Amino acid sequence: MIKRASLVRLNESLSNKELRSMARLLSDLMDNVPDVIYFKDRQGKMVLVNKAHARGLGLKPEQVVGKTDFDFFPKDRAKLMSKDDEHIIRTGEPIVDKIERATRPDGIDNFVSTTKVPRYDEKGKIVGLVGITRDITKRKHLEIMHGEKERLEKKLKALEDLNRMKSEFISVVSHELRTPLAIINEAISLLFDQVVGPINNKQSEIIVKAKNNVGRLKKLIDELLDLSRLESEHFKLHYSLVNLNELLEDSSGFFKNLAQEKGITLVYNLPKRSVNIFLDFERINQVISNLITNAVKYTEEGGKITIKLEMLESKVRILVMDTGTGIAHDDVQRIFHRFVQVSKKAEAIKKGVGLGLSITKDLVEKHGGEIWVESKLGVGSKFYFTLPRFYTSSVLDQEIMDKINSLIEKDETAYLINVLFINFKLFKERFNLVSEKLFKDLTNVIKDSLDNVKATKDEKPRLVFADEGFSELSILYPMATEKDAHLVCKVVKQRIERYLSDKKVKGVFTNIGISQYSSEGQLKTSHQILANLNIKKVYVGSETRKFKRVNCKLDVEVALPNVASEASKTIDMSEGGICFSSLRPLKTDSKVVIYLKFDKNKPSLSLKGRVARIIRTDEVSKSGKSLYRIGLEFIKLKPKDRLRIVRFIKSVS
Ligand code: ADP
């Protein structure tokens, strides 16, 4: 009241000029704020409205003045508004920040916050009100979304807790079942082996049945335990450097016998060179064992199973192929889900519960690999899985492998530095260098440079592998820090550069690093594959670093013999190949021609490729069909095309 009186006195004492200036200030405020402002008289008639108010009604301010809310809004809404107005006029109580859902005259639903205060004349009598209405739809939606997010987070947390409880329950129950089951198994074995007395044929038959069922139970318990372990946050792979050829050969006798008992031929097709990669021996053994056991289970007498190990550019790929029952098209993806059995064979159903492949998939993926299947009912199945080749196909001495494995076990840090010559053949041709001499010289240069490196904790870096066929040299540096290892890379790089410059070889690049960028976009110069083991790479070549992937969305047309070509988009690309999405699963190793469109105005580049991997994604196309991610390796890439690709990769990286 005191404030109002003082304002009246202030108005009385203002000059005309001052009044005009105040009116201008008021109209500036009214017309420039996005909020709706209106003055009403005691009857609810508009005395003054701002542009925002009129705009909202699709009118001009002068068309609004003199009218009431009943002229613009639906009756119900106008009634509510006038009820508020009447309350203010009657009591003098303002309404502050009243939040309501409203429908604008143009039919759009929104949220508004309204503040209305009474207006008084000089005598203190209420003459009307002034209101400000603000559109708070965005803020409200954010609040709603925030609330929804919190609700979902709570729900997710509850589900996670439930899932954890379920895993713990399975784990406890399975553990508890194991011991009595082992005792039952032992007892049955004693009976069967007639240690406790002779049994007749009928008794023996019953005991065999019991024994088979104990076996089934044991498999189920083991799989349930695996499942809960894999789900646990404490699950850890125990990596070591493993010779994959040996891993496969170790169990080959067992599986060959298993197959032979069913009249099936089982053959291994392994590369001559050893493939050493970091993996969890037990777990990959389990993966291979699951796949081969399934192949035997679902193949009839006279069938054939082939196990093949292949080296790809950045992965190794293992194939377990059978000529068995095959899997129907619609079932192919389901078989990796838990508790899914699609075979109609009673014998097979009896032997499993449909957990093996889901565990296998989890294990492969935990290794950073991928797994897929191609199958045809009545023809057979091909189960493929890949593992990353963190370390290329080096033939390492047992002694070196032991050394690395013992370092891993002792939790000591070690660095493996791979010096890799990119396209060595091309490199030699380009510089007209005598092949053997060049590689020998380079080996000596590297050895020499290592001799000059100071030892850390009595350990010196040493050349552990040099293979001209793979144009690769490897240095093992135990107990080194990142700084020590980087220094070695630098020294090696400088020495190679000096050697090449002495030979007057120009245009060669030497790069420290690995073709990987961190999420922050920084080039990572070492790749940590275990907590204490890192790989560093030094690339030497006459072209840009090989196989750096860049994400890109280029138009690509995929042509296959006898079918219509498919238009798609690339996902990523490297000098070695592309990855694209496809509606067709394609076939592993099938040859395709692709047409890549780098430039809208220029013809597409036609390239040949081989399908290296196929993964079904969770995504679906607009027409609801499954989408596959196809990894394609270029074959017989022409230098001209390579150059175009390299140029593109450079331009987007
Ligand atoms: P199970 O332990 O019951 O065999 P898996 O998870 O290992 O469960 O396999 C799931 C289903 O996939 C099997 O029930 C079978 O129908 C199918 N399957 C797996 N491997 C093959 C194969 N090599 N040939 C045909 N069908 C197979």
Side-chain angles (χ1 to χ4, degrees), residues 219 223 290-291 294-299 322 324-327 335 337 340-344 348-349 351-358 375 381 383:
K219 181 173 181 275
E223 285 180 343
N290 270 350
L291 295 179
N294 273 350
V296 173
K297 201 155 65 167
Y298 298 104
T299 302
D322 65 57
T325 56
I327 304 156
I335 59 168
H337 297 165
V340 170
Q341 285 189 305
V342 296
S343 170
K344 305 278 178 293
I349 296 170
K351 282 189 182 164
V353 287
L355 274 178
L357 282 180
S358 85
S375 189
S381 309
F383 281 85

PDB file of all heavy atoms in Angstrom, residues 219 223 290-291 294-299 322 324-327 335 337 340-344 348-349 351-358 375 381 383, ligand 1:
ATOM      1  N   LYS A 219      26.583 -80.979 -17.293  1.00  0.00           N
ATOM      2  CA  LYS A 219      26.730 -80.004 -18.387  1.00  0.00           C
ATOM      3  C   LYS A 219      25.876 -78.768 -18.099  1.00  0.00           C
ATOM      4  O   LYS A 219      26.324 -77.631 -18.225  1.00  0.00           O
ATOM      5  CB  LYS A 219      26.324 -80.665 -19.704  1.00  0.00           C
ATOM      6  CG  LYS A 219      26.468 -79.755 -20.913  1.00  0.00           C
ATOM      7  CD  LYS A 219      26.222 -80.505 -22.206  1.00  0.00           C
ATOM      8  CE  LYS A 219      26.371 -79.643 -23.424  1.00  0.00           C
ATOM      9  NZ  LYS A 219      25.268 -78.892 -23.853  1.00  0.00           N
ATOM     10  N   GLU A 223      27.195 -75.022 -17.433  1.00  0.00           N
ATOM     11  CA  GLU A 223      26.778 -73.914 -18.298  1.00  0.00           C
ATOM     12  C   GLU A 223      26.112 -72.803 -17.493  1.00  0.00           C
ATOM     13  O   GLU A 223      26.344 -71.627 -17.736  1.00  0.00           O
ATOM     14  CB  GLU A 223      25.831 -74.424 -19.393  1.00  0.00           C
ATOM     15  CG  GLU A 223      26.584 -75.182 -20.469  1.00  0.00           C
ATOM     16  CD  GLU A 223      25.698 -75.707 -21.597  1.00  0.00           C
ATOM     17  OE1 GLU A 223      24.463 -75.775 -21.421  1.00  0.00           O
ATOM     18  OE2 GLU A 223      26.246 -76.058 -22.642  1.00  0.00           O
ATOM     19  N   ASN A 290      32.876 -76.215 -27.922  1.00  0.00           N
ATOM     20  CA  ASN A 290      31.415 -76.088 -28.097  1.00  0.00           C
ATOM     21  C   ASN A 290      31.032 -76.232 -29.555  1.00  0.00           C
ATOM     22  O   ASN A 290      30.073 -76.932 -29.880  1.00  0.00           O
ATOM     23  CB  ASN A 290      30.952 -74.698 -27.625  1.00  0.00           C
ATOM     24  CG  ASN A 290      30.576 -74.698 -26.170  1.00  0.00           C
ATOM     25  OD1 ASN A 290      30.486 -75.750 -25.552  1.00  0.00           O
ATOM     26  ND2 ASN A 290      30.361 -73.518 -25.620  1.00  0.00           N
ATOM     27  N   LEU A 291      31.782 -75.558 -30.418  1.00  0.00           N
ATOM     28  CA  LEU A 291      31.422 -75.564 -31.836  1.00  0.00           C
ATOM     29  C   LEU A 291      31.631 -76.947 -32.449  1.00  0.00           C
ATOM     30  O   LEU A 291      30.797 -77.431 -33.211  1.00  0.00           O
ATOM     31  CB  LEU A 291      32.229 -74.502 -32.598  1.00  0.00           C
ATOM     32  CG  LEU A 291      31.944 -73.044 -32.210  1.00  0.00           C
ATOM     33  CD1 LEU A 291      32.815 -72.088 -32.995  1.00  0.00           C
ATOM     34  CD2 LEU A 291      30.466 -72.696 -32.439  1.00  0.00           C
ATOM     35  N   ASN A 294      29.004 -79.428 -31.120  1.00  0.00           N
ATOM     36  CA  ASN A 294      27.726 -79.209 -31.812  1.00  0.00           C
ATOM     37  C   ASN A 294      27.768 -79.803 -33.215  1.00  0.00           C
ATOM     38  O   ASN A 294      26.820 -80.444 -33.645  1.00  0.00           O
ATOM     39  CB  ASN A 294      27.429 -77.711 -31.925  1.00  0.00           C
ATOM     40  CG  ASN A 294      26.699 -77.186 -30.706  1.00  0.00           C
ATOM     41  OD1 ASN A 294      26.259 -77.967 -29.866  1.00  0.00           O
ATOM     42  ND2 ASN A 294      26.581 -75.880 -30.606  1.00  0.00           N
ATOM     43  N   ALA A 295      28.880 -79.551 -33.918  1.00  0.00           N
ATOM     44  CA  ALA A 295      29.009 -80.052 -35.294  1.00  0.00           C
ATOM     45  C   ALA A 295      28.857 -81.572 -35.302  1.00  0.00           C
ATOM     46  O   ALA A 295      28.157 -82.130 -36.143  1.00  0.00           O
ATOM     47  CB  ALA A 295      30.338 -79.619 -35.889  1.00  0.00           C
ATOM     48  N   VAL A 296      29.490 -82.223 -34.336  1.00  0.00           N
ATOM     49  CA  VAL A 296      29.393 -83.689 -34.270  1.00  0.00           C
ATOM     50  C   VAL A 296      27.945 -84.087 -33.951  1.00  0.00           C
ATOM     51  O   VAL A 296      27.387 -84.994 -34.546  1.00  0.00           O
ATOM     52  CB  VAL A 296      30.373 -84.258 -33.215  1.00  0.00           C
ATOM     53  CG1 VAL A 296      30.160 -85.762 -33.026  1.00  0.00           C
ATOM     54  CG2 VAL A 296      31.816 -83.969 -33.603  1.00  0.00           C
ATOM     55  N   LYS A 297      27.356 -83.344 -33.006  1.00  0.00           N
ATOM     56  CA  LYS A 297      26.008 -83.664 -32.552  1.00  0.00           C
ATOM     57  C   LYS A 297      24.993 -83.575 -33.699  1.00  0.00           C
ATOM     58  O   LYS A 297      24.091 -84.384 -33.809  1.00  0.00           O
ATOM     59  CB  LYS A 297      25.632 -82.665 -31.443  1.00  0.00           C
ATOM     60  CG  LYS A 297      24.536 -83.140 -30.544  1.00  0.00           C
ATOM     61  CD  LYS A 297      24.554 -82.496 -29.164  1.00  0.00           C
ATOM     62  CE  LYS A 297      24.308 -81.027 -29.106  1.00  0.00           C
ATOM     63  NZ  LYS A 297      24.051 -80.508 -27.774  1.00  0.00           N
ATOM     64  N   TYR A 298      25.173 -82.582 -34.552  1.00  0.00           N
ATOM     65  CA  TYR A 298      24.162 -82.347 -35.586  1.00  0.00           C
ATOM     66  C   TYR A 298      24.581 -82.852 -36.969  1.00  0.00           C
ATOM     67  O   TYR A 298      24.052 -82.404 -37.973  1.00  0.00           O
ATOM     68  CB  TYR A 298      23.795 -80.860 -35.631  1.00  0.00           C
ATOM     69  CG  TYR A 298      23.198 -80.402 -34.325  1.00  0.00           C
ATOM     70  CD1 TYR A 298      23.936 -79.648 -33.406  1.00  0.00           C
ATOM     71  CD2 TYR A 298      21.906 -80.781 -33.972  1.00  0.00           C
ATOM     72  CE1 TYR A 298      23.392 -79.273 -32.191  1.00  0.00           C
ATOM     73  CE2 TYR A 298      21.361 -80.406 -32.759  1.00  0.00           C
ATOM     74  CZ  TYR A 298      22.109 -79.652 -31.869  1.00  0.00           C
ATOM     75  OH  TYR A 298      21.571 -79.299 -30.664  1.00  0.00           O
ATOM     76  N   THR A 299      25.572 -83.744 -37.004  1.00  0.00           N
ATOM     77  CA  THR A 299      25.979 -84.317 -38.296  1.00  0.00           C
ATOM     78  C   THR A 299      25.730 -85.823 -38.261  1.00  0.00           C
ATOM     79  O   THR A 299      26.000 -86.482 -37.255  1.00  0.00           O
ATOM     80  CB  THR A 299      27.464 -83.991 -38.580  1.00  0.00           C
ATOM     81  OG1 THR A 299      27.614 -82.577 -38.557  1.00  0.00           O
ATOM     82  CG2 THR A 299      27.895 -84.510 -39.941  1.00  0.00           C
ATOM     83  N   ASP A 322      30.317 -78.025 -41.015  1.00  0.00           N
ATOM     84  CA  ASP A 322      29.847 -79.417 -41.024  1.00  0.00           C
ATOM     85  C   ASP A 322      28.875 -79.651 -42.177  1.00  0.00           C
ATOM     86  O   ASP A 322      28.363 -78.705 -42.775  1.00  0.00           O
ATOM     87  CB  ASP A 322      29.207 -79.780 -39.674  1.00  0.00           C
ATOM     88  CG  ASP A 322      27.955 -78.992 -39.379  1.00  0.00           C
ATOM     89  OD1 ASP A 322      27.026 -79.038 -40.196  1.00  0.00           O
ATOM     90  OD2 ASP A 322      27.892 -78.317 -38.318  1.00  0.00           O
ATOM     91  N   GLY A 324      26.117 -81.297 -41.734  1.00  0.00           N
ATOM     92  CA  GLY A 324      25.034 -81.858 -40.915  1.00  0.00           C
ATOM     93  C   GLY A 324      23.650 -81.386 -41.288  1.00  0.00           C
ATOM     94  O   GLY A 324      23.384 -81.017 -42.441  1.00  0.00           O
ATOM     95  N   THR A 325      22.793 -81.337 -40.280  1.00  0.00           N
ATOM     96  CA  THR A 325      21.372 -81.071 -40.515  1.00  0.00           C
ATOM     97  C   THR A 325      21.111 -79.651 -41.017  1.00  0.00           C
ATOM     98  O   THR A 325      20.129 -79.407 -41.698  1.00  0.00           O
ATOM     99  CB  THR A 325      20.576 -81.223 -39.205  1.00  0.00           C
ATOM    100  OG1 THR A 325      21.175 -80.345 -38.244  1.00  0.00           O
ATOM    101  CG2 THR A 325      20.584 -82.633 -38.689  1.00  0.00           C
ATOM    102  N   GLY A 326      22.004 -78.735 -40.661  1.00  0.00           N
ATOM    103  CA  GLY A 326      21.792 -77.336 -41.032  1.00  0.00           C
ATOM    104  C   GLY A 326      20.721 -76.699 -40.167  1.00  0.00           C
ATOM    105  O   GLY A 326      20.075 -77.371 -39.350  1.00  0.00           O
ATOM    106  N   ILE A 327      20.571 -75.397 -40.329  1.00  0.00           N
ATOM    107  CA  ILE A 327      19.616 -74.652 -39.493  1.00  0.00           C
ATOM    108  C   ILE A 327      18.712 -73.855 -40.426  1.00  0.00           C
ATOM    109  O   ILE A 327      19.199 -73.247 -41.388  1.00  0.00           O
ATOM    110  CB  ILE A 327      20.370 -73.693 -38.538  1.00  0.00           C
ATOM    111  CG1 ILE A 327      21.383 -74.480 -37.701  1.00  0.00           C
ATOM    112  CG2 ILE A 327      19.424 -72.932 -37.634  1.00  0.00           C
ATOM    113  CD1 ILE A 327      22.519 -73.649 -37.179  1.00  0.00           C
ATOM    114  N   ILE A 335      19.718 -68.913 -32.569  1.00  0.00           N
ATOM    115  CA  ILE A 335      20.490 -69.952 -31.871  1.00  0.00           C
ATOM    116  C   ILE A 335      21.553 -69.385 -30.927  1.00  0.00           C
ATOM    117  O   ILE A 335      22.042 -70.094 -30.069  1.00  0.00           O
ATOM    118  CB  ILE A 335      21.147 -70.955 -32.845  1.00  0.00           C
ATOM    119  CG1 ILE A 335      22.071 -70.222 -33.798  1.00  0.00           C
ATOM    120  CG2 ILE A 335      20.105 -71.756 -33.593  1.00  0.00           C
ATOM    121  CD1 ILE A 335      22.938 -71.172 -34.576  1.00  0.00           C
ATOM    122  N   HIS A 337      20.887 -67.029 -28.882  1.00  0.00           N
ATOM    123  CA  HIS A 337      20.182 -66.558 -27.681  1.00  0.00           C
ATOM    124  C   HIS A 337      20.125 -67.673 -26.640  1.00  0.00           C
ATOM    125  O   HIS A 337      20.226 -68.846 -26.972  1.00  0.00           O
ATOM    126  CB  HIS A 337      18.751 -66.128 -28.029  1.00  0.00           C
ATOM    127  CG  HIS A 337      18.721 -64.969 -28.977  1.00  0.00           C
ATOM    128  ND1 HIS A 337      17.601 -64.598 -29.648  1.00  0.00           N
ATOM    129  CD2 HIS A 337      19.695 -64.117 -29.370  1.00  0.00           C
ATOM    130  CE1 HIS A 337      17.877 -63.569 -30.413  1.00  0.00           C
ATOM    131  NE2 HIS A 337      19.140 -63.247 -30.263  1.00  0.00           N
ATOM    132  N   VAL A 340      17.855 -71.379 -26.364  1.00  0.00           N
ATOM    133  CA  VAL A 340      17.196 -71.615 -27.646  1.00  0.00           C
ATOM    134  C   VAL A 340      17.729 -72.899 -28.259  1.00  0.00           C
ATOM    135  O   VAL A 340      18.930 -73.075 -28.435  1.00  0.00           O
ATOM    136  CB  VAL A 340      17.407 -70.425 -28.627  1.00  0.00           C
ATOM    137  CG1 VAL A 340      16.936 -70.799 -30.028  1.00  0.00           C
ATOM    138  CG2 VAL A 340      16.647 -69.214 -28.136  1.00  0.00           C
ATOM    139  N   GLN A 341      16.813 -73.814 -28.529  1.00  0.00           N
ATOM    140  CA  GLN A 341      17.137 -75.047 -29.241  1.00  0.00           C
ATOM    141  C   GLN A 341      16.217 -75.095 -30.426  1.00  0.00           C
ATOM    142  O   GLN A 341      15.003 -74.942 -30.275  1.00  0.00           O
ATOM    143  CB  GLN A 341      16.875 -76.259 -28.359  1.00  0.00           C
ATOM    144  CG  GLN A 341      17.916 -76.446 -27.283  1.00  0.00           C
ATOM    145  CD  GLN A 341      17.707 -77.768 -26.593  1.00  0.00           C
ATOM    146  OE1 GLN A 341      16.629 -78.031 -26.092  1.00  0.00           O
ATOM    147  NE2 GLN A 341      18.726 -78.602 -26.576  1.00  0.00           N
ATOM    148  N   VAL A 342      16.781 -75.277 -31.593  1.00  0.00           N
ATOM    149  CA  VAL A 342      15.883 -75.280 -32.745  1.00  0.00           C
ATOM    150  C   VAL A 342      15.804 -76.658 -33.392  1.00  0.00           C
ATOM    151  O   VAL A 342      14.963 -76.901 -34.231  1.00  0.00           O
ATOM    152  CB  VAL A 342      16.301 -74.212 -33.793  1.00  0.00           C
ATOM    153  CG1 VAL A 342      16.161 -72.830 -33.203  1.00  0.00           C
ATOM    154  CG2 VAL A 342      17.713 -74.436 -34.278  1.00  0.00           C
ATOM    155  N   SER A 343      16.703 -77.548 -32.963  1.00  0.00           N
ATOM    156  CA  SER A 343      16.705 -78.878 -33.562  1.00  0.00           C
ATOM    157  C   SER A 343      15.468 -79.652 -33.114  1.00  0.00           C
ATOM    158  O   SER A 343      15.019 -79.546 -31.983  1.00  0.00           O
ATOM    159  CB  SER A 343      17.959 -79.619 -33.117  1.00  0.00           C
ATOM    160  OG  SER A 343      17.853 -80.961 -33.496  1.00  0.00           O
ATOM    161  N   LYS A 344      14.947 -80.405 -34.054  1.00  0.00           N
ATOM    162  CA  LYS A 344      13.776 -81.221 -33.706  1.00  0.00           C
ATOM    163  C   LYS A 344      14.229 -82.604 -33.230  1.00  0.00           C
ATOM    164  O   LYS A 344      13.427 -83.436 -32.860  1.00  0.00           O
ATOM    165  CB  LYS A 344      12.854 -81.384 -34.926  1.00  0.00           C
ATOM    166  CG  LYS A 344      12.424 -80.075 -35.549  1.00  0.00           C
ATOM    167  CD  LYS A 344      11.255 -79.457 -34.796  1.00  0.00           C
ATOM    168  CE  LYS A 344      10.838 -78.129 -35.351  1.00  0.00           C
ATOM    169  NZ  LYS A 344      11.784 -77.033 -35.205  1.00  0.00           N
ATOM    170  N   ALA A 348      19.261 -84.676 -29.574  1.00  0.00           N
ATOM    171  CA  ALA A 348      20.010 -83.431 -29.373  1.00  0.00           C
ATOM    172  C   ALA A 348      19.406 -82.621 -28.239  1.00  0.00           C
ATOM    173  O   ALA A 348      20.113 -82.065 -27.399  1.00  0.00           O
ATOM    174  CB  ALA A 348      20.002 -82.621 -30.658  1.00  0.00           C
ATOM    175  N   ILE A 349      18.082 -82.571 -28.213  1.00  0.00           N
ATOM    176  CA  ILE A 349      17.404 -81.788 -27.176  1.00  0.00           C
ATOM    177  C   ILE A 349      17.760 -82.354 -25.798  1.00  0.00           C
ATOM    178  O   ILE A 349      18.027 -81.619 -24.850  1.00  0.00           O
ATOM    179  CB  ILE A 349      15.866 -81.782 -27.403  1.00  0.00           C
ATOM    180  CG1 ILE A 349      15.561 -81.062 -28.721  1.00  0.00           C
ATOM    181  CG2 ILE A 349      15.130 -81.138 -26.252  1.00  0.00           C
ATOM    182  CD1 ILE A 349      14.138 -81.181 -29.199  1.00  0.00           C
ATOM    183  N   LYS A 351      20.443 -83.708 -24.961  1.00  0.00           N
ATOM    184  CA  LYS A 351      21.829 -83.492 -24.560  1.00  0.00           C
ATOM    185  C   LYS A 351      22.165 -82.054 -24.178  1.00  0.00           C
ATOM    186  O   LYS A 351      23.264 -81.763 -23.742  1.00  0.00           O
ATOM    187  CB  LYS A 351      22.755 -83.941 -25.689  1.00  0.00           C
ATOM    188  CG  LYS A 351      22.898 -85.455 -25.726  1.00  0.00           C
ATOM    189  CD  LYS A 351      23.985 -85.837 -26.689  1.00  0.00           C
ATOM    190  CE  LYS A 351      24.114 -87.333 -26.779  1.00  0.00           C
ATOM    191  NZ  LYS A 351      24.882 -87.736 -27.950  1.00  0.00           N
ATOM    192  N   GLY A 352      21.271 -81.125 -24.425  1.00  0.00           N
ATOM    193  CA  GLY A 352      21.610 -79.740 -24.104  1.00  0.00           C
ATOM    194  C   GLY A 352      20.377 -78.947 -23.735  1.00  0.00           C
ATOM    195  O   GLY A 352      19.254 -79.439 -23.828  1.00  0.00           O
ATOM    196  N   VAL A 353      20.627 -77.706 -23.300  1.00  0.00           N
ATOM    197  CA  VAL A 353      19.486 -76.862 -22.959  1.00  0.00           C
ATOM    198  C   VAL A 353      19.518 -75.563 -23.761  1.00  0.00           C
ATOM    199  O   VAL A 353      18.779 -74.630 -23.473  1.00  0.00           O
ATOM    200  CB  VAL A 353      19.451 -76.534 -21.449  1.00  0.00           C
ATOM    201  CG1 VAL A 353      19.028 -77.740 -20.654  1.00  0.00           C
ATOM    202  CG2 VAL A 353      20.765 -75.964 -20.991  1.00  0.00           C
ATOM    203  N   GLY A 354      20.405 -75.490 -24.737  1.00  0.00           N
ATOM    204  CA  GLY A 354      20.450 -74.292 -25.576  1.00  0.00           C
ATOM    205  C   GLY A 354      21.211 -73.145 -24.944  1.00  0.00           C
ATOM    206  O   GLY A 354      20.872 -71.988 -25.145  1.00  0.00           O
ATOM    207  N   LEU A 355      22.247 -73.478 -24.172  1.00  0.00           N
ATOM    208  CA  LEU A 355      23.053 -72.414 -23.562  1.00  0.00           C
ATOM    209  C   LEU A 355      24.425 -72.290 -24.211  1.00  0.00           C
ATOM    210  O   LEU A 355      25.052 -71.237 -24.163  1.00  0.00           O
ATOM    211  CB  LEU A 355      23.245 -72.695 -22.066  1.00  0.00           C
ATOM    212  CG  LEU A 355      22.157 -72.204 -21.140  1.00  0.00           C
ATOM    213  CD1 LEU A 355      22.457 -72.600 -19.712  1.00  0.00           C
ATOM    214  CD2 LEU A 355      21.990 -70.699 -21.242  1.00  0.00           C
ATOM    215  N   GLY A 356      24.887 -73.403 -24.807  1.00  0.00           N
ATOM    216  CA  GLY A 356      26.258 -73.466 -25.322  1.00  0.00           C
ATOM    217  C   GLY A 356      26.626 -72.317 -26.236  1.00  0.00           C
ATOM    218  O   GLY A 356      27.637 -71.642 -26.032  1.00  0.00           O
ATOM    219  N   LEU A 357      25.782 -72.040 -27.233  1.00  0.00           N
ATOM    220  CA  LEU A 357      26.145 -71.012 -28.215  1.00  0.00           C
ATOM    221  C   LEU A 357      26.081 -69.604 -27.643  1.00  0.00           C
ATOM    222  O   LEU A 357      26.851 -68.740 -28.048  1.00  0.00           O
ATOM    223  CB  LEU A 357      25.252 -71.112 -29.451  1.00  0.00           C
ATOM    224  CG  LEU A 357      25.608 -72.235 -30.427  1.00  0.00           C
ATOM    225  CD1 LEU A 357      24.661 -72.232 -31.602  1.00  0.00           C
ATOM    226  CD2 LEU A 357      27.042 -72.121 -30.918  1.00  0.00           C
ATOM    227  N   SER A 358      25.179 -69.383 -26.682  1.00  0.00           N
ATOM    228  CA  SER A 358      25.125 -68.026 -26.113  1.00  0.00           C
ATOM    229  C   SER A 358      26.385 -67.775 -25.269  1.00  0.00           C
ATOM    230  O   SER A 358      26.935 -66.675 -25.276  1.00  0.00           O
ATOM    231  CB  SER A 358      23.847 -67.810 -25.318  1.00  0.00           C
ATOM    232  OG  SER A 358      23.973 -68.276 -24.007  1.00  0.00           O
ATOM    233  N   SER A 375      24.144 -71.174 -42.741  1.00  0.00           N
ATOM    234  CA  SER A 375      23.660 -72.541 -42.700  1.00  0.00           C
ATOM    235  C   SER A 375      22.527 -72.754 -43.687  1.00  0.00           C
ATOM    236  O   SER A 375      21.820 -71.808 -44.044  1.00  0.00           O
ATOM    237  CB  SER A 375      23.181 -72.842 -41.283  1.00  0.00           C
ATOM    238  OG  SER A 375      22.896 -74.203 -41.164  1.00  0.00           O
ATOM    239  N   SER A 381      26.305 -76.506 -41.856  1.00  0.00           N
ATOM    240  CA  SER A 381      26.485 -75.202 -41.223  1.00  0.00           C
ATOM    241  C   SER A 381      27.951 -74.799 -41.231  1.00  0.00           C
ATOM    242  O   SER A 381      28.840 -75.642 -41.177  1.00  0.00           O
ATOM    243  CB  SER A 381      26.024 -75.239 -39.772  1.00  0.00           C
ATOM    244  OG  SER A 381      24.744 -75.779 -39.691  1.00  0.00           O
ATOM    245  N   PHE A 383      30.144 -72.277 -38.914  1.00  0.00           N
ATOM    246  CA  PHE A 383      30.257 -71.353 -37.784  1.00  0.00           C
ATOM    247  C   PHE A 383      31.611 -70.671 -37.874  1.00  0.00           C
ATOM    248  O   PHE A 383      32.642 -71.337 -37.870  1.00  0.00           O
ATOM    249  CB  PHE A 383      30.146 -72.101 -36.444  1.00  0.00           C
ATOM    250  CG  PHE A 383      28.727 -72.434 -36.076  1.00  0.00           C
ATOM    251  CD1 PHE A 383      28.123 -73.582 -36.564  1.00  0.00           C
ATOM    252  CD2 PHE A 383      28.000 -71.597 -35.244  1.00  0.00           C
ATOM    253  CE1 PHE A 383      26.809 -73.890 -36.233  1.00  0.00           C
ATOM    254  CE2 PHE A 383      26.691 -71.892 -34.906  1.00  0.00           C
ATOM    255  CZ  PHE A 383      26.090 -73.042 -35.409  1.00  0.00           C
TER     256      PHE A 383
HETATM  257  P1  ADP B   1      22.649 -77.111 -27.107  1.00  0.00           P
HETATM  258  O1  ADP B   1      23.595 -77.241 -25.957  1.00  0.00           O
HETATM  259  O2  ADP B   1      21.242 -77.382 -26.760  1.00  0.00           O
HETATM  260  O3  ADP B   1      23.122 -77.806 -28.330  1.00  0.00           O
HETATM  261  P2  ADP B   1      23.568 -74.625 -28.265  1.00  0.00           P
HETATM  262  O4  ADP B   1      23.409 -73.262 -27.723  1.00  0.00           O
HETATM  263  O5  ADP B   1      24.936 -75.168 -28.378  1.00  0.00           O
HETATM  264  O6  ADP B   1      22.622 -75.564 -27.405  1.00  0.00           O
HETATM  265  O7  ADP B   1      22.882 -74.661 -29.684  1.00  0.00           O
HETATM  266  C1  ADP B   1      21.606 -74.092 -29.877  1.00  0.00           C
HETATM  267  C2  ADP B   1      20.880 -74.750 -31.014  1.00  0.00           C
HETATM  268  O8  ADP B   1      21.539 -74.431 -32.242  1.00  0.00           O
HETATM  269  C3  ADP B   1      20.880 -76.251 -30.973  1.00  0.00           C
HETATM  270  O9  ADP B   1      19.806 -76.706 -30.226  1.00  0.00           O
HETATM  271  C4  ADP B   1      20.753 -76.626 -32.416  1.00  0.00           C
HETATM  272  O10 ADP B   1      19.420 -76.656 -32.774  1.00  0.00           O
HETATM  273  C5  ADP B   1      21.431 -75.508 -33.170  1.00  0.00           C
HETATM  274  N1  ADP B   1      22.804 -75.871 -33.614  1.00  0.00           N
HETATM  275  C6  ADP B   1      23.971 -75.571 -33.005  1.00  0.00           C
HETATM  276  N2  ADP B   1      25.027 -76.017 -33.719  1.00  0.00           N
HETATM  277  C7  ADP B   1      24.523 -76.618 -34.811  1.00  0.00           C
HETATM  278  C8  ADP B   1      25.097 -77.273 -35.949  1.00  0.00           C
HETATM  279  N3  ADP B   1      26.426 -77.392 -36.092  1.00  0.00           N
HETATM  280  N4  ADP B   1      24.250 -77.769 -36.876  1.00  0.00           N
HETATM  281  C9  ADP B   1      22.912 -77.614 -36.750  1.00  0.00           C
HETATM  282  N5  ADP B   1      22.304 -77.015 -35.724  1.00  0.00           N
HETATM  283  C10 ADP B   1      23.092 -76.516 -34.742  1.00  0.00           C
END
